[in-house]
Amino acid sequence: MKFFIDTANLAQIKEAQDLGILDGVTTNPSLMAKEGITGRDNILKHYVDICNIVDGDVSAEVIATDFEGMVKEGEQLASLHQQIVVKIPVIKEGIKAIKYFTDNGIKTNCTLVFSAGQALLAAKAGATYVSPFIGRLDDISSDGLNLIADIRLIYDNYGYETQILAASVRHSMHIIDCAKLGADVMTGPLLSIVGLLKHPLTDLGLAQFLADYNKGN
Ligand code: G3P
């Protein structure tokens, strides 16, 4: 399973990269704004800064909602750095744009996916990644993990190569459940990644080992 971090915070991206387990980064306009990154030039520069920290794919989202606009913007984003993946919303024009980028060898991440039908169309268009937002489904008492299971089943039925990128991950159990269901990638906050390490018996056991070692020294 690939681990992406879902943030535009450079310090957190670096911390995850230093852990040695980071495969990529996802961002969106809201995450950029949260870090105070506004204005087209600053946003483009920030994408390059992120690419210079990590080794893997970095999703950069288009703002345009029409086909021509998405193509123009996506090509500009893709030209920033070879690690950039163009992130495109799952709307009609977006599906057309994903097909265009697929045909032109540019990686895409189809975002704002909330149904199996949307994920099926993203795969048909050849998206590199599809991003079902599981936390936002849970927020409205719909089961986000069921969506991951449905997409996995559909993609496996037909051998679609689009990678399921579980997004809107909110906590460590989301990561474990997505891994059980066969999501190819998860993207979440640093806390949810580090949370995977936490176990009181590990802490107790380590404290005991150190105490016992120190008895003889
Ligand atoms: O990767 C999608 C993500 O940024 C949305 O997360 O927590 O705003 O639902 P959230």
Side-chain angles (χ1 to χ4, degrees):
M1 187 190 210
K2 289 186 197 166
F3 272 45
F4 288 2
I5 188 168
D6 194 30
T7 183
N9 181 291
L10 296 183
Q12 287 183 19
I13 292 170
K14 183 151 189 341
E15 192 176 333
Q17 173 69 21
D18 288 348
L19 260 180
I21 49 81
L22 192 65
D23 300 298
V25 177
T26 52
T27 59
N28 61 41
S30 306
L31 293 172
M32 283 284 184
K34 193 172 162 198
E35 298 307 318
I37 313 294
T38 54
R40 190 82 193 140
D41 290 347
N42 292 332
I43 289 172
L44 295 183
K45 182 187 170 301
H46 204 72
Y47 284 137
V48 176
D49 290 345
I50 293 173
C51 289
N52 288 334
I53 296 174
V54 300
D55 298 324
D57 286 347
V58 174
S59 288
E61 190 155 344
V62 298
I63 303 303
T65 53
D66 62 300
F67 173 73
E68 285 78 16
M70 286 182 188
V71 165
K72 190 172 163 216
E73 213 182 316
E75 282 177 337
Q76 186 189 16
L77 290 169
S79 72
L80 287 175
H81 199 284
Q82 59 184 11
Q83 287 164 240
I84 293 284
V85 173
V86 181
K87 201 172 182 189
I88 299 175
V90 66
I91 56 177
K92 223 154 99 183
E93 298 289 289
I95 293 297
K96 280 165 63 181
I98 289 169
K99 178 73 173 86
Y100 170 88
F101 287 123
T102 303
D103 291 345
N104 286 278
I106 291 175
K107 286 186 179 179
T108 53
N109 175 356
C110 184
T111 191
L112 286 168
V113 168
F114 293 95
S115 77
Q118 291 173 329
L120 180 54
L121 277 180
K124 288 282 296 172
T128 314
Y129 299 104
V130 66
S131 288
F133 277 30
I134 61 173
R136 291 192 191 186
L137 280 170
D138 291 352
D139 286 345
I140 58 160
S141 62
S142 199
D143 191 339
L145 291 170
N146 268 349
L147 178 58
I148 300 291
D150 284 350
I151 300 172
R152 182 73 282 157
L153 177 68
I154 291 168
Y155 283 10
D156 288 350
N157 277 348
Y158 296 97
Y160 286 123
E161 286 177 9
T162 299
Q163 295 175 57
I164 302 173
L165 195 174
S168 186
V169 159
R170 300 279 175 74
H171 48 73
S172 307
M173 275 313 294
H174 266 157
I175 302 177
I176 292 167
D177 286 331
C178 285
K180 285 185 185 169
L181 291 169
D184 301 285
V185 191
M186 82 82 207
T187 190
L190 183 60
L191 271 181
S192 67
I193 297 172
V194 176
L196 292 171
L197 283 172
K198 290 194 191 304
H199 201 291
L201 291 180
T202 303
D203 299 339
L204 279 172
L206 185 59
Q208 185 68 55
F209 286 156
L210 294 179
D212 288 341
Y213 173 84
N214 285 327
K215 280 178 192 162
N217 292 287

